[in-house]
Amino acid sequence: MADVQKLMIPDFVQMKKEGKKITEITAYSYPQALLVDEAGIDMILVGDSLGMVELGYAGTTGVTMDEMLEHVKPVVRAVKRCHVVGDMPFMSYNISKEQAITNCGRMFKEGGCDSIKLEGGQDFAPTVQAIVKAGIPVFGHIGLTPQTSSALGGFKVQGKSVDAAKKVLDDAIALDQAGAFAITLEAIPRQLAQIITQKVKCITIGIGGGIECDGQVLVFHDILGLFKRFTPKFVKVYANIWDLELKAVQDYIGEVREKKFPSDEYTFTMKEEALDEIRKYAHI
Ligand code: KIV
């Protein structure tokens, strides 16, 4: 088998230049990462959406550094080609530059990911600059930022008014100038995402940001119909794996109860002579 070339940040810069779309998806485990890497995805985000889709939390704010690391490590072990982004959980980078560098350093060094992602715009530009200076590539995240969604009024589209759009644009410019190599644009009007994509030199990855972004990201569980609590407008469900899995498990339960499983096909047997001996030995 030919050696698989790992994607590096300059590859994404080149893709932006050439207008080639960048594909990203979340993954949180070894088998999920194996699957999406084999499918040919360019980037995996081990997102803090982990809290909602895998750990059963109501939101993302409860996720800890240790939980993130536990999920980043097997993803990193699984991939051959794609770039792995480790998401920084709420309050792991918000207190000071020193705290941010320490925790991003753990994500990068212990987790082994290729870059880290954090939420926030202009206010976080000095932190981003410090992390980049420490040698860790940073992926920003603006627009709808789930960790602070309650302050934004819930899971709502951002940047719709002129003032709000200017603020999102200024956030993007501040992160770009601080040295972020990429920015997630979540739930903003496509025209605003297009202006940002033209304006910044870093790559833009949309999730509800429209087709003009340099690339797209969606949550693994959302596109496969594995998360039933809610489906945002920007999610396209490509397969209903939940329904397939539910039917398979129900079929298994039914066949066991009806004494149809395990049939001969799934059963081991022994020779009659040996069986006679064993019966005598067991006195039955
Ligand atoms: O945690 C996550 O899955 C994310 C995406 C919504 C981009 O941050």
Side-chain angles (χ1 to χ4, degrees):
M1 201 176 95
D3 273 354
V4 179
Q5 206 58 28
K6 172 103 180 161
L7 288 171
M8 304 280 177
I9 290 172
D11 296 316
F12 300 122
V13 175
Q14 190 60 26
M15 286 170 86
K16 176 172 177 123
K17 243 186 231 160
E18 291 173 11
K20 285 189 186 154
K21 294 293 182 186
I22 300 161
T23 59
E24 185 183 19
I25 193 165
T26 66
Y28 318 89
S29 70
Y30 186 80
Q32 289 167 2
L34 275 183
L35 185 137
V36 301
D37 196 43
E38 184 180 323
I41 204 86
D42 300 320
M43 287 183 170
I44 288 178
L45 168 66
V46 186
D48 64 354
S49 48
L50 164 78
M52 297 170 80
V53 300
E54 289 273 321
L55 303 183
Y57 296 154
T60 58
T61 52
V63 178
T64 66
M65 258 319 279
D66 287 342
E67 285 168 338
M68 285 305 304
L69 282 167
E70 226 169 88
H71 288 264
V72 166
K73 288 178 190 176
V75 167
V76 168
R77 284 197 288 270
V79 305
K80 289 197 170 69
R81 176 180 173 273
C82 64
H83 177 103
V84 179
V85 187
D87 212 3
M88 298 306 295
F90 184 55
M91 280 299 148
S92 67
Y93 59 92
N94 314 63
I95 296 168
S96 66
K97 286 184 202 167
E98 291 70 24
Q99 184 220 21
I101 292 172
T102 304
N103 283 322
C104 294
R106 278 192 77 194
M107 184 66 88
F108 197 61
K109 202 173 142 141
E110 282 177 47
C113 56
D114 303 301
S115 64
I116 64 90
K117 178 170 86 59
L118 53 80
E119 296 182 8
Q122 295 160 80
D123 294 346
F124 283 88
T127 306
V128 169
Q129 197 169 26
I131 301 165
V132 172
K133 202 167 164 214
I136 302 168
V138 176
F139 206 126
H141 185 158
I142 56 173
L144 172 56
T145 44
Q147 291 174 3
T148 45
S149 58
S150 60
L152 299 173
F155 286 85
K156 288 190 178 153
V157 179
Q158 303 295 308
K160 279 176 92 173
S161 69
V162 172
D163 283 350
K166 280 182 183 167
K167 155 99 175 60
V168 179
L169 176 60
D170 289 344
D171 283 340
I173 292 169
L175 293 177
D176 193 40
Q177 288 175 350
F181 81 98
I183 308 175
T184 301
L185 302 177
E186 179 161 355
I188 62 170
R190 66 182 279 192
Q191 300 93 332
L192 175 58
Q194 183 175 22
I195 290 170
I196 293 172
T197 302
Q198 281 171 3
K199 183 81 187 163
V200 296
K201 62 177 186 312
C202 65
I203 62 170
T204 61
I205 302 291
I207 175 162
I211 204 157
E212 286 85 6
C213 295
D214 295 316
Q216 300 294 325
V217 61
L218 283 175
V219 169
F220 182 89
H221 294 59
D222 285 342
I223 74 160
L224 296 177
L226 286 168
F227 185 68
K228 296 281 186 183
R229 234 191 288 158
F230 63 90
T231 307
K233 174 181 162 66
F234 53 71
V235 168
K236 179 168 177 184
V237 180
Y238 284 84
N240 267 307
I241 303 300
W242 178 276
D243 294 347
L244 287 176
E245 289 181 341
L246 187 68
K247 176 156 184 334
V249 176
Q250 284 171 337
D251 286 351
Y252 165 66
I253 293 168
E255 289 198 0
V256 171
R257 287 186 180 148
E258 288 162 24
K259 301 179 186 167
K260 287 185 181 160
F261 179 86
S263 57
D264 284 354
E265 190 186 350
Y266 304 100
T267 304
F268 305 104
T269 54
M270 65 196 294
K271 293 209 172 92
E272 269 309 313
E273 313 88 79
L275 191 55
D276 282 345
E277 290 277 323
I278 298 297
R279 281 200 181 112
K280 273 186 217 155
Y281 182 76
H283 302 290
I284 56 167

